[in-house]
Amino acid sequence: MWCWRLTGLFNVPCRLSRSTSHRSAWLPGYRKIFSAAAARWHHTAPESLNCVWQLHGDHLELRYANTLMRFDFVWLRDHCRSASCYNTKTNQRSLDTASVDLGIKPKAVRVDETTLFLTWPDGHVTRYGLEWLVKNSYEGQKQQVMHPRILWNAEIYKQSQIPSIDCQSFLETDEGLKEFLQNFLLYGIAFVENVTPTKEDTEILAERISLIRETIYGRMWYFTSDFSRGDTAYTKLALDRHTDTTYFQEPCGIQVFHCLKHEGTGGRTLLVDGFYAADQVLQQAPDQFELLSKVPLKHEYVENVGGCHNHMIGVGPVLNVYPWNNELYLIRYNNYDRAVINTVPYDVAHRWYTAHRTLTTELRRPENELWVKLKPGKALFIDNWRVLHGREAFTGYRQLCGCYLTRDDVLNTARLLGLQA
Ligand SMILES: C[N+](C)(C)CCCC[C@H](N)C(=O)O
Ligand SMILES: O=C(O)CCC(=O)C(=O)O
Ligand SMILES: [Fe+2]
């Protein structure tokens, strides 16, 4: 028996990470339960009526700042921030969670204007800031997006007139780097200009924001149409929109391109916001969106050219979403490298092809295509988990260099600069 529905564990409305203002309403049934029980609710002092709580058999219910939250007792014990349970120097838990009685229940509960106090059967006291609880509760989290983004088609991107960041400002100032990263996080692409057109200078740029992810293509790569590797990228042929390294279990997070030379015609780069297209699918056909996020697929890279022998396999759905808020975080789309579909029975395969067609139609709409000609001196950073790239066929000698970056480290740099990433 095949079932491709959500289990109900995370039954939240489908939503993409468009902006922070995108808040979902409470389910009406939930409100009703709340008001029926209101008579037995405990209030804080009259001047802070905005916090009410109620102890149930297996959880604590708390309403604060218009958020109704429900906390498991083990969760409340486990997240205790007291000195013996949590090390604020290392930001690590000291408490041994496995030693908490799974049937634990607080012996006393008290709330003042800012804080929830819980006394446990052994006398240990746990304090939680109410604001902290709103931010860290499941109910608070599912109203938020992890990654604020601006989804774009060609018109939206051009209208927003995102400037390229000057190389010197990118390398030497935190403001320059921060502006670059903010653009990159919001749009999934960003440019640095006035870069010296060499592989070495491109490497310095990459190292400013992240660690370079070494792959079967090397650390810093450099390619022409000499077919030195067994892949269409190393020819003069056109490449339809795709994301790279779909055949890795974790596709590379960021791709850096810097065109060092082109004496010839064509060769423009195509960029398409995969999340914008996926959002269109979600609006038109939520069941197809769900199928694309549930059916696991294999992508494969089999290379036997010259001295290069590689066989890579990556498994995962086309759309990857966080289950608690349905926020999209990774699109894996490469029709060249997609392997044999043998992970679902024939009827699911057919439904998958239909959903894939809907997505492809969106990805191929001319109004969603951003075409740019990469020139020496202008480096392009692409979020390979979101934005698809392709290229027009070309003539003449064309030299491109670049590298992949580890995603965690780009986000780390962004967070250290105070950005939400
Ligand atoms: C970028 N660089 C030329 C090094 C590699 C190209 C990899 C091409 C591969 N088909 C993929 O899409 O992953
Ligand atoms: O030649 C290009 O512009 C891009 C080729 C490509 O898709 C790649 O190297 O990943
Ligand atoms: Fe590519």
Side-chain angles (χ1 to χ4, degrees), residues 215-218 221-223 229-234 239 242-248 255-257 300-301 333-334 336-337 384 389 391 400 402-404:
T215 64
I216 49 171
Y217 304 104
W221 30 256
Y222 176 85
F223 69 101
R229 300 292 302 262
D231 192 277
T232 324
Y234 297 78
L239 285 174
H242 65 276
T243 59
D244 269 23
T245 63
T246 47
Y247 41 80
F248 289 174
Q255 163 133 265
V256 184
F257 278 135
E300 192 169 26
Y301 184 77
Y333 185 99
N334 192 321
Y336 302 108
D337 295 332
N384 189 53
H389 63 279
R391 82 164 176 229
L400 227 71
C403 58
Y404 296 115

Side-chain angles (χ1 to χ4, degrees), residues 9-48:
L9 177 61
F10 293 107
N11 217 351
V12 291
C14 289
R15 184 158 53 83
L16 279 165
S17 54
R18 188 169 301 135
S19 77
T20 38
S21 63
H22 212 105
R23 303 199 150 226
S24 60
W26 289 107
L27 302 174
Y30 203 26
R31 277 215 180 282
K32 223 157 80 202
I33 295 164
F34 172 74
S35 45
R40 288 177 285 113
W41 282 70
H42 301 256
H43 291 251
T44 49
E47 61 271 19
S48 59

Side-chain angles (χ1 to χ4, degrees), residues 147-160:
H147 314 287
R149 305 180 200 270
I150 296 169
L151 305 186
W152 52 268
N153 57 19
E155 189 61 19
I156 297 170
Y157 186 78
K158 286 178 188 154
Q159 288 286 316
S160 27

Side-chain angles (χ1 to χ4, degrees), residues 76-82 85 110 115-120 123-128:
L76 286 168
R77 183 66 192 86
D78 184 44
H79 293 83
C80 180
R81 262 42 184 163
S82 70
C85 298
R110 182 168 72 82
T115 314
L116 165 71
F117 300 83
L118 303 160
T119 308
W120 300 103
H124 186 82
V125 176
T126 296
R127 291 176 181 77
Y128 286 113

Side-chain angles (χ1 to χ4, degrees), residues 243 250-254 275 329-331 383-387 407:
T243 59
E250 190 199 275
C252 290
I254 285 89
F275 288 6
Y329 67 89
L330 185 161
I331 181 167
D383 182 344
N384 189 53
W385 281 21
R386 166 179 172 186
V387 174
R407 189 182 191 80

